[in-house]
Amino acid sequence: MIENKLSILDEIRTIVGAKYLITKPDLLYKYSKDCTSNKVTIPSAVVLPKNTQEISKIIAICNETKTAITVRGGGTGVSGGALSVNSGIILSLERLNKIIEINKVDRIAIVESGVITKDLKDAVLKDGLNFPQNISSADSCFIGGNVAVSSGSPKSLKYGTTKNYVVNLEVVLPDGRIIWTGKNVSKNATGYNLTQLFSGSEGTLGVITKVVLKLVPPMKELVLMVPFTKIDNLFICVQQFFAKGYSASSIEFIDGVGFKLVSQYLDNSYHIKSTTEGILWIEIEGDYSDKLLDEALKISRHINAYTEEEIHVADNPSEVKALWKMRSKVGEAVINHTFFRDVDIVVPCSKIDEMYKAIVIIANKFNFNYTVFGHVGDGNFHVNIFQNKEQTIEQWEVNIVVWVKEIFLKALELGGTISGEHGIGKINLPYIAEAIPTAQIIMDKIKKTFDKNQIINP
Amino acid sequence: MIENKLSILDEIRTIVGAKYLITKPDLLYKYSKDCTSNKVTIPSAVVLPKNTQEISKIIAICNETKTAITVRGGGTGVSGGALSVNSGIILSLERLNKIIEINKVDRIAIVESGVITKDLKDAVLKDGLNFPQNISSADSCFIGGNVAVSSGSPKSLKYGTTKNYVVNLEVVLPDGRIIWTGKNVSKNATGYNLTQLFSGSEGTLGVITKVVLKLVPPMKELVLMVPFTKIDNLFICVQQFFAKGYSASSIEFIDGVGFKLVSQYLDNSYHIKSTTEGILWIEIEGDYSDKLLDEALKISRHINAYTEEEIHVADNPSEVKALWKMRSKVGEAVINHTFFRDVDIVVPCSKIDEMYKAIVIIANKFNFNYTVFGHVGDGNFHVNIFQNKEQTIEQWEVNIVVWVKEIFLKALELGGTISGEHGIGKINLPYIAEAIPTAQIIMDKIKKTFDKNQIINP
């Protein structure tokens, strides 16, 4: 029996080697935060195992000694999921960065969970295949983290979130056993769907060590960028787009505040009026350029019923990227502007207009500044509430709980949910009981079924 | 406390009304079998509740009295899942047959779980939408049953199995509580993925009472039907189809035995040589007829490297249906021919040639007759082993366990699984421990977490 934290660390050091157990305060700082603004928690140690077997041994020791451990991917989360609990131990997956196999016949990639998402995308593209999520933090996030929170992206409208592309997972269970949740096949009706139970579980049921992902052939893209003088019309335009039977790979938007922030941040060269209340992006995909243009023409006619502003169109890769820039940089523009809290909600698309109106009313009632942008085709809004500089941090922390709760309650009232793609993490935990009252009882039971001693990401 | 089965039935009769509790032997016979050949189990009673509330009360009584109950949908299963256990009570969902809402903006349908799949498909088509599974038993199976086993279909190559289209479920838990597993939104990162845990759980975790399904716009279809003189070339043709970057909505096949059986059964009018060892169907989808024809031409060139026989092409709905007929009727042709056992396996597409060769070797070793057909693009084979008429039923029952096991072991060795789309049910239960050794321990725990008294579909 191991007696105390020091001897636990000695055990772990024996497993990974002294070089890969970090305990020096100056080196620990890097692991003290993720992209959740304001949150800093210095862990007592960070362990960097090189493979599944090492992780299995580490987790077994933690289980035996009831030591909490927090799994960390790329540290790009915005819900505080990668932060240590009570200055505990962090297990970083950064050395599990091997792409094991890309199979063109089976259209799968088998990778370790610490592979950076962009590296995966680049590698499969060389084989004429695509991992069709364009996650905004792809340059630094880990594929294992994407799976753990089932990350979404603008492409989720067509392709769903990451979980839809997860075929199989290697997982270290909280008692140290190593399992595969499924098989590397596209259809499997053998027993419960453990693969999907682990996808989106935020690492609370085990440590994801290998991921088998489904791949698809890449497609040609065409993007329309459309300013709206009246933002209400933007929402109706999107709802009617679906009602009329159109389809798209992405439908995204930013509101007027987001537009102004990102214009200043980027020195925007598109001639969009400063009175614009919202900008809509519609991206369509296909195998044939001529048909994409035909489709764009039909969609433009539909859009013209809701706005008189000029529609910008791009259909070659560099122009497509340029036209997306305002949307893709709005998050950075907000970070550059002020401290904020991201509130990630989803409502049915038929309720996006009502949800937006409710946000405006709530903001007026509490007098906070904010911008709303996001994946409007999926009904997924990011409400970024700006920190009021006249308030102390303490006041802000008290107020934000009230404001977020009001937004969450409205989303729930409209049949929506309180996290579309960022997960619950720690910062949304106080709200989950209200979001999923009965379901929570079951989730607690499932967590205990897997992790009796509550050691992994507690 | 209820003392015995008679008083339990009295309680249930009070809930549903005398008309909807069947106990007369002649009326019970209808509920004594599903499509699993040879299996007949007469239940002691069949209850036909009209809504979720009645089911909740019935399940609560069963839980209190530890009475086993088996949920029955359309009775089209082929794994014995709808058969009662120890002549127990069957809960039939046939009266839960309302289509509650079809929402064109959100592209979802909200239905009761006893709606017949074809009725759902027809209803959404009127609104210009599609539930893209073409399940072969759609005329009689229930959507709740499709969800419970995550039914596949020829379209699963493109669209995945039913679970990929399940947005939200209303479920009566084994203690009688009613929950929704999610929300009616396309993205949800709030907590564990209960919706996917219940999809494919074969009703073992609760009774699915309402289903919210994602819908898509319908597309134009083009089908190529291709005979192969050498079946080995058929498999390589499929593997190279993917390797070269082609995509399809369905890739299906039947072997030479299946071809002969279905030709006799249908009085086949296509001029296909009797020496043909296999027939391949490739279906592609798109929005534009001209582009489908271009694509078909490219695919035909690819196919010509592997067979010299004539390629049959169809691109209007009635011809498409006619060309699919041999494939879609092969199951019926087999039922018409003899008693058989369907062995449903999936291997990675890169292993279909090896799997097929192994089946031939196993059949020769044990000297049984069979046909193989199925969803070859997904690596999903249905091996139908014919009952040897020179054997007694008892001998057949002993032999089939050995033969199936040999096939399953080969599929597992090739990284495959022992049920692609029919579920485990009762007939495959003896094999699950070998298919998923570690995972089974977890599944047992999950089952107990939900259903402590093991009352639902035990």
Side-chain angles (χ1 to χ4, degrees):
Chain A
M1 187 67 190
I2 296 154
E3 298 294 318
N4 56 42
K5 200 180 259 183
L6 199 64
S7 63
I8 294 163
L9 292 181
D10 288 341
E11 291 262 334
I12 291 174
R13 192 177 289 111
T14 314
I15 295 164
V16 295
K19 190 177 163 189
Y20 298 112
L21 181 75
I22 300 172
T23 49
K24 280 193 186 158
D26 53 332
L27 299 174
L28 289 172
Y29 184 73
K30 183 182 152 195
Y31 299 92
S32 68
K33 50 186 185 154
D34 62 4
C35 292
T36 317
S37 352
N38 284 346
K39 292 272 172 193
V40 175
T41 316
I42 309 272
S44 59
V46 175
V47 54
L48 301 114
K50 75 161 182 253
N51 59 31
T52 306
Q53 285 67 36
E54 288 188 1
I55 294 173
S56 165
K57 288 178 194 161
I58 295 164
I59 295 296
I61 291 171
C62 290
N63 190 46
E64 205 186 314
T65 57
K66 299 193 167 58
T67 308
I69 191 157
T70 299
V71 184
R72 184 181 174 94
T76 59
V78 290
S79 308
L83 304 181
S84 65
V85 179
N86 302 327
S87 305
I89 302 171
I90 278 183
L91 187 149
S92 169
L93 297 170
E94 64 199 78
R95 291 176 69 210
L96 274 80
N97 59 358
K98 276 188 288 300
I99 295 175
I100 299 163
E101 186 190 343
I102 298 168
N103 188 313
K104 289 177 74 168
V105 171
D106 298 333
R107 291 195 177 163
I108 57 171
I110 306 173
V111 302
E112 290 187 329
S113 58
V115 168
I116 289 174
T117 306
K118 185 175 184 300
D119 293 346
L120 167 78
K121 283 178 75 86
D122 290 348
V124 302
L125 209 57
K126 279 184 199 148
D127 274 329
L129 289 165
N130 187 23
F131 171 61
Q133 299 291 346
N134 49 352
I135 296 160
S136 56
S137 56
D139 289 353
S140 52
C141 64
F142 291 177
I143 193 68
N146 298 163
V147 172
V149 302
S150 191
S151 302
S153 79
K155 295 272 193 194
S156 294
L157 180 61
K158 176 175 176 184
Y159 294 101
T161 57
T162 302
K163 68 177 157 48
N164 296 27
Y165 286 77
V166 181
V167 175
N168 196 2
L169 295 171
E170 185 192 67
V171 176
V172 176
L173 294 177
D175 61 5
R177 275 181 303 168
I178 301 164
I179 63 161
W180 281 96
T181 57
K183 300 280 177 173
N184 298 351
V185 293
S186 50
K187 291 167 83 174
N188 194 345
T190 315
Y192 301 138
N193 195 339
L194 296 182
T195 306
Q196 290 302 320
L197 184 63
F198 279 94
S199 302
S201 68
E202 303 189 38
T204 57
L205 304 178
V207 184
I208 296 168
T209 44
K210 291 196 186 83
V211 179
V212 182
L213 287 170
K214 185 168 80 170
L215 304 170
V216 295
M219 288 191 147
K220 292 187 171 61
E221 295 167 344
L222 182 148
V223 179
L224 301 106
M225 182 177 78
V226 195
F228 283 78
T229 313
K230 290 280 156 221
I231 198 162
D232 294 351
N233 284 346
L234 183 153
F235 298 115
I236 303 168
C237 176
V238 171
Q239 291 168 333
Q240 288 304 308
F241 179 90
F242 291 117
K244 287 184 183 167
Y246 292 109
S247 288
S249 46
S250 303
I251 303 186
E252 298 282 312
F253 93 114
I254 57 176
D255 68 0
V257 174
F259 160 62
K260 280 185 195 74
L261 283 176
V262 77
S263 297
Q264 286 156 16
Y265 182 69
L266 288 180
D267 198 11
N268 166 42
S269 61
Y270 294 100
H271 300 289
I272 298 177
K273 283 184 233 164
S274 63
T275 52
T276 290
E277 283 190 1
I279 301 177
L280 183 69
W281 285 259
I282 297 180
E283 182 194 84
I284 54 177
E285 285 189 346
D287 290 321
Y288 306 99
S289 303
D290 56 338
K291 296 298 181 188
L292 281 181
L293 284 169
D294 289 353
E295 190 69 12
L297 196 66
K298 282 188 231 162
I299 293 172
S300 298
R301 280 192 212 112
H302 164 73
I303 293 168
N304 282 332
Y306 303 95
T307 183
E308 287 165 8
E309 297 195 46
E310 187 194 353
I311 300 173
H312 304 257
V313 182
D315 72 344
N316 72 56
S318 65
E319 281 177 30
V320 163
K321 202 174 168 189
L323 211 53
W324 267 121
K325 199 167 181 188
M326 266 205 286
R327 170 64 189 88
S328 61
K329 292 289 178 186
V330 67
E332 272 178 40
V334 174
I335 291 173
N336 190 53
H337 173 66
T338 183
F339 275 122
F340 67 99
R341 173 70 67 92
D342 174 68
V343 187
D344 173 34
I345 51 168
V346 189
V347 293
C349 189
S350 54
K351 306 289 185 190
I352 50 177
D353 50 340
E354 271 186 73
M355 188 68 227
Y356 182 80
K357 281 177 192 143
I359 294 165
V360 174
I361 291 167
I362 294 166
N364 286 340
K365 176 174 157 189
F366 294 109
N367 195 27
F368 60 73
N369 292 319
Y370 67 100
T371 173
V372 188
F373 57 89
H375 319 298
V376 67
D378 278 320
N380 188 186
F381 287 177
H382 295 298
V383 188
N384 284 3
I385 302 178
F386 304 154
Q387 189 169 336
N388 185 334
K389 279 159 195 166
E390 288 145 33
Q391 289 177 346
T392 61
I393 291 286
E394 290 72 26
Q395 281 173 325
W396 157 259
E397 292 287 355
V398 170
N399 287 336
I400 193 72
V401 173
V402 177
W403 303 344
V404 170
K405 189 169 175 179
E406 196 111 346
I407 295 170
F408 278 171
L409 288 175
K410 187 68 193 181
L412 294 171
E413 182 197 322
L414 294 175
T417 177
I418 63 165
S419 178
E421 52 183 20
H422 296 162
I424 298 297
K426 291 173 190 72
I427 68 166
N428 294 324
L429 211 53
Y431 310 107
I432 193 170
E434 266 164 281
I436 35 176
T438 326
Q440 201 195 359
I441 302 161
I442 298 170
M443 288 185 200
D444 286 346
K445 281 191 188 174
I446 294 176
K447 169 71 174 163
K448 283 186 190 124
T449 301
F450 283 84
D451 186 6
K452 197 170 45 144
N453 296 331
Q454 305 276 324
I455 58 154
I456 294 192
N457 294 356
Chain B
M1 187 67 188
I2 296 155
E3 298 295 315
N4 54 42
K5 199 179 261 181
L6 198 66
S7 62
I8 295 164
L9 291 181
D10 289 341
E11 289 263 334
I12 290 176
R13 191 178 288 111
T14 315
I15 295 164
V16 295
K19 190 178 163 189
Y20 297 110
L21 182 74
I22 299 172
T23 50
K24 281 191 187 160
D26 52 332
L27 299 174
L28 290 173
Y29 184 73
K30 182 182 151 195
Y31 299 92
S32 67
K33 50 185 184 158
D34 63 3
C35 291
T36 316
S37 336
N38 285 346
K39 292 271 172 190
V40 176
T41 317
I42 309 272
S44 60
V46 175
V47 55
L48 300 113
K50 74 161 182 248
N51 58 33
T52 307
Q53 285 66 35
E54 288 188 1
I55 293 172
S56 166
K57 287 179 196 161
I58 294 163
I59 296 294
I61 290 171
C62 289
N63 189 45
E64 204 184 314
T65 58
K66 299 192 170 50
T67 307
I69 192 156
T70 298
V71 184
R72 185 182 174 91
T76 59
V78 289
S79 310
L83 305 181
S84 65
V85 178
N86 302 328
S87 305
I89 302 171
I90 278 183
L91 188 149
S92 169
L93 297 170
E94 63 197 79
R95 290 175 69 210
L96 275 79
N97 59 358
K98 276 190 287 299
I99 294 175
I100 299 163
E101 186 189 342
I102 297 168
N103 189 310
K104 288 177 76 168
V105 171
D106 298 333
R107 292 199 175 160
I108 57 170
I110 307 173
V111 303
E112 290 185 330
S113 57
V115 168
I116 289 173
T117 306
K118 185 176 184 301
D119 293 346
L120 166 78
K121 282 178 75 86
D122 290 347
V124 303
L125 209 57
K126 279 184 198 146
D127 274 328
L129 288 165
N130 188 22
F131 171 60
Q133 298 291 346
N134 50 352
I135 296 161
S136 57
S137 56
D139 289 353
S140 51
C141 64
F142 291 178
I143 193 68
N146 298 163
V147 172
V149 302
S150 191
S151 302
S153 79
K155 296 273 193 193
S156 294
L157 180 61
K158 176 174 176 182
Y159 294 102
T161 59
T162 302
K163 67 178 157 49
N164 296 27
Y165 286 77
V166 181
V167 175
N168 196 2
L169 295 171
E170 184 191 67
V171 176
V172 176
L173 294 177
D175 60 6
R177 276 181 303 170
I178 301 163
I179 63 161
W180 281 96
T181 57
K183 300 280 178 175
N184 298 350
V185 293
S186 50
K187 290 166 85 175
N188 193 345
T190 316
Y192 301 139
N193 195 339
L194 295 182
T195 306
Q196 290 302 320
L197 185 62
F198 279 94
S199 303
S201 68
E202 304 191 35
T204 56
L205 304 178
V207 184
I208 296 168
T209 45
K210 291 194 186 84
V211 179
V212 183
L213 287 170
K214 185 168 82 170
L215 305 171
V216 295
M219 290 192 145
K220 293 188 172 62
E221 294 165 346
L222 182 148
V223 180
L224 301 107
M225 181 175 78
V226 195
F228 283 76
T229 314
K230 290 281 158 219
I231 198 160
D232 293 352
N233 284 345
L234 184 152
F235 298 115
I236 302 168
C237 176
V238 171
Q239 291 169 333
Q240 288 305 309
F241 179 90
F242 291 117
K244 287 184 183 165
Y246 293 109
S247 288
S249 46
S250 303
I251 304 187
E252 298 283 310
F253 93 113
I254 57 176
D255 67 1
V257 173
F259 160 62
K260 281 186 193 76
L261 283 176
V262 78
S263 297
Q264 287 157 16
Y265 181 69
L266 288 179
D267 200 11
N268 165 41
S269 62
Y270 293 99
H271 300 290
I272 298 177
K273 283 183 234 164
S274 64
T275 52
T276 290
E277 283 191 1
I279 300 178
L280 183 70
W281 285 259
I282 297 180
E283 183 195 83
I284 54 176
E285 286 188 346
D287 290 321
Y288 308 99
S289 304
D290 56 338
K291 296 298 182 189
L292 281 181
L293 284 169
D294 289 353
E295 189 70 10
L297 196 65
K298 281 189 233 161
I299 293 171
S300 298
R301 279 192 214 113
H302 164 74
I303 292 168
N304 281 333
Y306 303 95
T307 181
E308 286 164 8
E309 298 195 44
E310 187 193 350
I311 300 173
H312 304 257
V313 182
D315 71 346
N316 72 55
S318 65
E319 280 177 32
V320 164
K321 202 173 168 190
L323 211 52
W324 267 122
K325 200 167 179 188
M326 266 206 285
R327 170 64 188 91
S328 61
K329 292 290 180 186
V330 68
E332 273 177 40
V334 174
I335 291 172
N336 190 52
H337 173 66
T338 184
F339 275 123
F340 68 101
R341 174 69 68 88
D342 174 69
V343 187
D344 172 35
I345 50 167
V346 190
V347 293
C349 190
S350 54
K351 305 289 186 191
I352 50 176
D353 49 339
E354 269 186 74
M355 189 66 226
Y356 182 80
K357 280 178 194 143
I359 293 165
V360 173
I361 291 167
I362 293 165
N364 287 339
K365 176 175 158 189
F366 295 110
N367 195 27
F368 60 72
N369 292 316
Y370 67 99
T371 174
V372 188
F373 56 87
H375 319 298
V376 66
D378 278 320
N380 189 186
F381 286 178
H382 296 298
V383 187
N384 286 2
I385 301 177
F386 304 155
Q387 190 169 337
N388 185 335
K389 278 159 194 165
E390 287 146 33
Q391 290 177 343
T392 62
I393 290 285
E394 290 71 26
Q395 282 173 323
W396 157 260
E397 292 287 355
V398 170
N399 287 336
I400 193 73
V401 173
V402 178
W403 303 344
V404 170
K405 189 170 175 177
E406 195 112 345
I407 295 170
F408 279 172
L409 288 176
K410 187 68 194 180
L412 294 171
E413 182 197 321
L414 294 175
T417 176
I418 64 166
S419 178
E421 53 183 20
H422 296 162
I424 298 295
K426 289 172 192 72
I427 69 164
N428 294 324
L429 210 52
Y431 311 106
I432 193 170
E434 268 166 280
I436 36 177
T438 327
Q440 201 196 0
I441 303 160
I442 299 171
M443 289 187 200
D444 286 345
K445 281 191 188 171
I446 294 176
K447 169 71 176 163
K448 283 186 191 125
T449 301
F450 282 85
D451 186 7
K452 195 169 43 139
N453 297 329
Q454 304 276 323
I455 58 155
I456 294 191
N457 294 358

